[in-house]
Amino acid sequence: MSQMPQLSACPSCEEPLESGDRFCGACGYDLSAVPERPQDNPTITMNGSVPAQGAAAGEYPERPSAPPAGAPWPAPGPADPQATAAGGPMPPEVPPAAGVRFDRRPDGHAAPPETYQTQPDQMQPDEYLLQAPDPRVSAEPAAPAAGAGGKVCVACRAGRVDDDGYCENCGHAQPRERDHMEQESGPIAAVSDRGLRHHRNEDAFAIGTTALPDGTPASVAIVCDGVSSATRPDDASQAASRAASEAVLAALPRGAHPQQAMHDAIVAASRAVNSLADEPATAREQAPHQNAPACTIVGAVVTSGLLIVGWVGDSRAYWVPVDRSAPPARLTEDDSWAAQMVAAGLMNEAEAYADERAHAITGWLGADAYELEPHTAAFKPDRPGVVVVCTDGLWNYAEAAEEMARVLPLDAAAHPLHSARVLVGHALDGGGHDNVTVALVPFPAVPQGAGSA
């Protein structure tokens, strides 16, 4: 008889649960409806034939054994017919984490940690209309600001912006630094946007390039999504992305296998987020209904012949080949209520992701995350392509791998920044109900200095 997962909060109403509860005392939700977390299916060789999304664990190739001690890295390239699919030490098995957290309210909007009045004539901050101009629209030339050297309002294009960040003419709040971020690093590019409904951007990313000990290039992209129902989700995502990126970029030149480096980077990110819970700012904000700072994480490491992904939560990585006649693939499996329902055979994907509980996550980084279970997977594509690393603010509008491939421009490998902007624009065109972040990493790794033309 399988054990029912031990939950700390009801996945339906989020009320606290007592150990051993069969039904939620607040809403009566049947807690046995939350199945156990599916097992990882980490390593496949990508040769144009990929496993179906949502396939059972037994349908994937067996996890390879770790290489002998002292085995050289970098691993043999694709030209070596004896090369294994991964060739790196697998992280130790960890018991499944217990509990679920809601990354948004059941109505689909983010659940901010702050408490607001709820009179009918008042709206939640994340339900306000766009507080800054749509980033897809090019700004017209600004009129001279009132007063020499004054900053011009991005909304009315005439008023002066005061020291508090508001227009003295129309009162419009000006964009903050994290409202829209773009970055290129060699052949990699990333774009993050607040979206059209949130009052702040709780996503973060970090990208970079380095070289392995033999001089071959390696590209790294980390994307994190702050859990909106937690305290300081924006700080959590930023701390996690920085810590993970720094850990990977430091480990690879020292000869660490990319898969082990990714695993250790997620652990480092977890520690960085955990440390936020001890800071005085968090202690002052903490209330009984609030949780410790938390976020999800997904990352990719690309070398000349190996693709590694790692994740905790429901941020995703996709594979899109340059030759679009070959099938794309989703490389990660969500730590979420919906994914568990699909894995247990209780719902199909369409039913599960249409449910109001779909975005209840069962894995995250944070001091209240119980047991940390980093997922890592290794792939050896036999053709060039692009790895799409993103938060659910994007994949909500292009969920299936085929949908993501249709949205991604054909020249994404050569023009990653433009293509990342296109993907963010696609999410905004679809409604932009969440923060949107995406990083694009060409495969195989491109030498430093190459990038968008």
Side-chain angles (χ1 to χ4, degrees), residues 18-39:
E18 298 293 335
S19 177
D21 280 352
R22 177 67 172 76
F23 296 90
C24 174
C27 68
Y29 182 75
D30 184 356
L31 301 175
S32 64
V34 182
E36 294 182 2
R37 179 196 302 263
Q39 297 296 314

Side-chain angles (χ1 to χ4, degrees), residues 2-423:
S2 62
Q3 295 291 321
M4 185 181 71
Q6 296 300 306
L7 306 179
S8 61
C10 174
S12 178
C13 67
E14 297 188 85
E15 289 298 318
L17 299 172
E18 298 293 335
S19 177
D21 280 352
R22 177 67 172 76
F23 296 90
C24 174
C27 68
Y29 182 75
D30 184 356
L31 301 175
S32 64
V34 182
E36 294 182 2
R37 179 196 302 263
Q39 297 296 314
D40 278 350
N41 308 299
T43 310
I44 62 172
T45 299
M46 298 173 64
N47 56 4
S49 176
V50 298
Q53 300 302 318
E59 295 178 30
Y60 285 76
E62 292 295 324
R63 179 185 304 219
S65 58
W73 170 252
D80 183 353
Q82 302 301 319
T84 61
M90 299 299 299
E93 294 295 334
V94 185
V100 288
R101 293 188 73 159
F102 278 85
D103 192 29
R104 60 186 66 211
R105 295 195 301 263
D107 61 6
H109 299 305
E114 301 91 341
T115 301
Y116 300 95
Q117 296 178 354
T118 55
Q119 284 85 348
D121 61 336
Q122 292 185 318
M123 301 174 65
Q124 297 287 357
D126 59 327
E127 294 174 340
Y128 288 132
L129 297 178
L130 181 63
Q131 295 178 339
D134 190 329
R136 297 162 294 173
V137 180
S138 298
E140 297 178 358
K151 186 177 179 181
V152 181
C153 174
V154 299
C156 69
R157 314 301 296 168
R160 177 183 176 277
V161 178
D162 62 23
D163 293 339
D164 293 329
Y166 290 86
C167 175
E168 295 179 346
N169 179 50
C170 68
H172 199 94
Q174 303 302 293
R176 288 163 289 191
E177 181 180 358
R178 288 184 64 174
D179 282 354
H180 186 86
M181 301 177 290
E182 298 184 357
Q183 184 182 349
E184 278 187 297
S185 179
I188 322 168
V191 176
S192 181
D193 192 84
R194 188 191 63 192
L196 306 182
R197 301 295 292 271
H198 272 240
H199 65 292
R200 65 181 173 186
N201 190 356
E202 297 168 357
D203 288 355
F205 67 80
I207 59 176
T209 57
T210 187
L212 303 180
D214 65 354
T216 57
S219 302
V220 177
I222 305 292
V223 168
C224 297
D225 183 355
V227 177
S228 294
S229 59
T231 303
R232 298 169 61 195
D234 50 337
D235 292 340
S237 62
Q238 189 167 58
S241 61
R242 287 177 176 174
S245 174
E246 291 171 358
V248 174
L249 291 173
L252 293 177
R254 294 197 299 260
H257 189 281
Q259 191 162 5
Q260 187 64 49
M262 177 59 73
H263 174 271
D264 295 344
I266 294 177
V267 174
S270 175
R271 291 171 180 158
V273 178
N274 291 353
S275 67
L276 296 178
D278 299 326
E279 293 182 0
T282 300
R284 288 195 303 269
E285 296 172 7
Q286 199 70 29
H289 67 283
Q290 294 176 333
N291 299 308
C295 68
T296 67
I297 186 171
V298 63
V301 175
V302 168
T303 69
S304 60
L306 192 64
L307 161 59
I308 301 294
V309 294
W311 74 98
V312 173
D314 63 349
S315 293
R316 293 181 177 181
Y318 292 82
W319 162 258
V320 180
V322 170
D323 177 6
R324 298 301 171 88
S325 65
R330 197 178 86 203
L331 306 179
T332 57
E333 291 291 336
D334 300 343
D335 291 318
S336 70
W337 181 91
Q340 291 188 3
M341 297 300 284
V342 174
L346 300 178
M347 291 183 176
N348 61 38
E349 283 201 357
E351 294 170 336
Y353 283 98
D355 193 282
E356 63 182 12
R357 296 161 291 184
H359 286 272
I361 55 175
T362 56
W364 62 88
L365 304 183
D368 60 351
Y370 307 100
E371 298 291 339
L372 175 64
E373 186 182 10
H375 309 288
T376 63
F379 304 89
K380 270 201 151 181
D382 67 346
R383 64 199 65 205
V386 176
V387 185
V388 180
V389 186
C390 65
T391 61
D392 61 346
L394 172 59
W395 67 251
N396 277 331
Y397 301 99
E399 185 173 331
E402 293 75 15
E403 293 177 284
M404 189 66 71
R406 282 195 296 269
V407 178
L408 185 69
L410 295 174
D411 61 352
H415 302 283
L417 181 57
H418 166 76
S419 300
R421 290 168 177 161
V422 170
L423 293 180

